[in-house]
Amino acid sequence: MKSFDEVGENYSSDLIKDLLNKITPEEQEQIDYKMQIAKMLYMALKAKGWRNIDLAEKMKLKSPSLVSKWLSGTHNFTIETLVQLQRLLDIRLLNIMPDANSTTLNVKLIVDANRAPLTKDDLNHLQQVIDDAGGLQPTIVTVTQ
Amino acid sequence: MASIYSLLTDVKSGTFFDHFIAENNEKYPAELMNIVGRLKRIGNEDSALTVYFKLDEGLDWDDLVCALYDTPDKHLRLYCIRLSKSIIVIGSGGSKNVRAWQDDVKLSREVNEMMHYSRIIRTRLKNGDLRISTDGLRFEGDLLLTK
């Protein structure tokens, strides 16, 4: 049997290795998401200078212990709670809804100096493409030679 | 990122964390998996944020002994010494089915053991036998705590 001095910092454990190998990528992803949400809540609370009890009051919770649970990174949140937390803490926890302020529509605009200026039909066509993509208002940029 | 250490008193029987796995693997496989997954996240991505732990589990105000939760409705507890957001020392623990760990013989032994090693580690850090690397992530010096 090896002595402690022989093992030193090179100790390795088959038990730990086996357990780490048993966690599926899906299970780890679920853990990661829960902990990431907790971290974002923690950072947002710090940024606002709020304590757990402040958030509990704003969320109309009976006890701040639920906030501790949220921050522990083990909680399964409902959509209702996440939406409420987003609004109160000014953070984005769910990124599936289109946001008029941040959505970018990539439009390839080819400028050809030999072509006639954009006609009303061209603009209507461009508006149609933009409408189909989500109904954003186009910004017309005048390109001069 | 954070470094996660455990304690080794007998090479043959493994670290305290090995004991924890061996004792709970059969009865609480899902909870154990959850704790290991959380440690993986703490080590590789996040640091050991205070909110991830149940702090002040030890009896001394400065012993830094805390517990890592598993899923909220379960009761498996892993006792740790959280030295900083970048270094934790994990011990053992068990299933907590009592109001306080003092009411359970096994949990009392585990917490007291962590308090004991916390005292040694903090004393050795103070007298310089043990140091923390400049990036805050590693112990340096003599890792043999008791001779």
Side-chain angles (χ1 to χ4, degrees):
Chain A
M1 192 184 101
K2 287 182 177 177
S3 71
F4 180 83
D5 284 337
E6 283 176 287
V7 173
E9 285 188 67
N10 298 319
Y11 176 84
S12 79
S13 161
D14 290 338
L15 271 175
I16 299 172
K17 275 186 202 160
D18 284 352
L19 210 53
L20 281 169
N21 289 334
K22 271 187 200 163
I23 303 176
T24 66
E26 188 185 336
E27 283 167 335
Q28 188 61 50
E29 202 176 343
Q30 287 172 6
I31 291 168
D32 289 347
Y33 267 105
K34 286 179 187 173
M35 293 182 81
Q36 183 61 27
I37 289 172
K39 188 178 179 180
M40 288 175 75
L41 294 179
Y42 172 66
M43 303 302 279
L45 281 178
K46 268 176 73 168
K48 285 201 173 284
W50 290 1
R51 296 160 302 157
N52 290 11
I53 196 165
D54 299 320
L55 182 61
E57 278 172 13
K58 287 177 199 301
M59 297 279 289
K60 296 184 172 52
L61 303 176
K62 284 177 186 164
S63 155
S65 65
L66 186 56
V67 177
S68 304
K69 206 177 271 182
W70 292 345
L71 293 170
S72 72
T74 60
H75 190 70
N76 245 339
F77 288 91
T78 62
I79 299 281
E80 285 86 347
T81 307
L82 289 176
V83 169
Q84 215 178 344
L85 285 167
Q86 284 192 150
R87 296 182 76 90
L88 275 171
L89 295 169
D90 301 316
I91 51 173
R92 297 289 296 165
L93 297 166
L94 300 160
N95 289 314
I96 53 167
M97 298 296 277
D99 182 343
N101 296 322
S102 63
T103 300
T104 305
L105 180 66
N106 291 318
V107 178
K108 192 174 180 184
L109 181 64
I110 299 166
V111 178
D112 183 349
N114 298 319
R115 233 195 118 178
L118 286 174
T119 64
K120 200 176 173 186
D121 283 349
D122 293 331
L123 283 174
N124 287 340
H125 179 67
L126 181 59
Q127 182 66 62
Q128 188 60 51
V129 171
I130 291 167
D131 285 347
D132 290 346
L136 304 174
Q137 285 300 312
T139 304
I140 305 297
V141 180
T142 308
V143 182
T144 53
Q145 278 185 289
Chain B
M1 276 173 62
S3 294
I4 301 167
Y5 289 84
S6 191
L7 296 153
L8 185 69
T9 51
D10 171 10
V11 176
K12 197 178 173 187
S13 71
T15 63
F16 285 16
F17 189 56
D18 285 306
H19 302 174
F20 180 70
I21 295 173
E23 286 163 7
N24 296 291
N25 208 2
E26 211 166 289
K27 210 168 175 189
Y28 306 105
E31 290 88 336
L32 200 54
M33 198 91 87
N34 192 278
I35 284 180
V36 172
R38 287 162 60 68
L39 287 171
K40 192 175 171 186
R41 172 78 188 184
I42 287 169
N44 293 340
E45 304 287 337
D46 293 337
S47 48
L49 298 181
T50 52
V51 286
Y52 294 156
F53 299 86
K54 189 168 188 297
L55 301 176
D56 303 322
E57 284 287 278
L59 296 176
D60 300 329
W61 66 271
D62 58 348
D63 62 26
L64 307 173
V65 174
C66 55
L68 191 66
Y69 298 95
D70 63 339
T71 38
D73 52 334
K74 302 289 165 45
H75 303 282
L76 197 59
R77 294 282 184 276
L78 173 68
Y79 293 103
C80 325
I81 304 164
R82 184 187 172 277
L83 283 161
S84 69
K85 68 179 174 62
S86 305
I87 294 183
I88 56 171
V89 180
I90 54 176
S92 187
S95 178
K96 183 170 177 275
N97 299 306
V98 288
R99 194 190 58 79
W101 57 258
Q102 288 91 334
D103 301 329
D104 183 289
V105 177
K106 158 92 170 115
L107 295 183
S108 294
R109 194 177 65 230
E110 302 300 350
V111 176
N112 277 297
E113 199 138 42
M114 292 313 275
M115 287 166 60
H116 168 69
Y117 284 107
S118 169
R119 250 190 312 271
I120 297 174
I121 291 170
R122 284 177 295 121
T123 304
R124 291 172 68 81
L125 281 170
K126 209 177 280 178
N127 66 26
D129 291 338
L130 200 58
R131 296 172 301 280
I132 289 174
S133 60
T134 46
D135 62 5
L137 279 168
R138 285 178 66 81
F139 280 129
E140 290 175 346
D142 190 359
L143 294 183
L144 204 56
L145 298 180
T146 53
K147 292 176 184 171

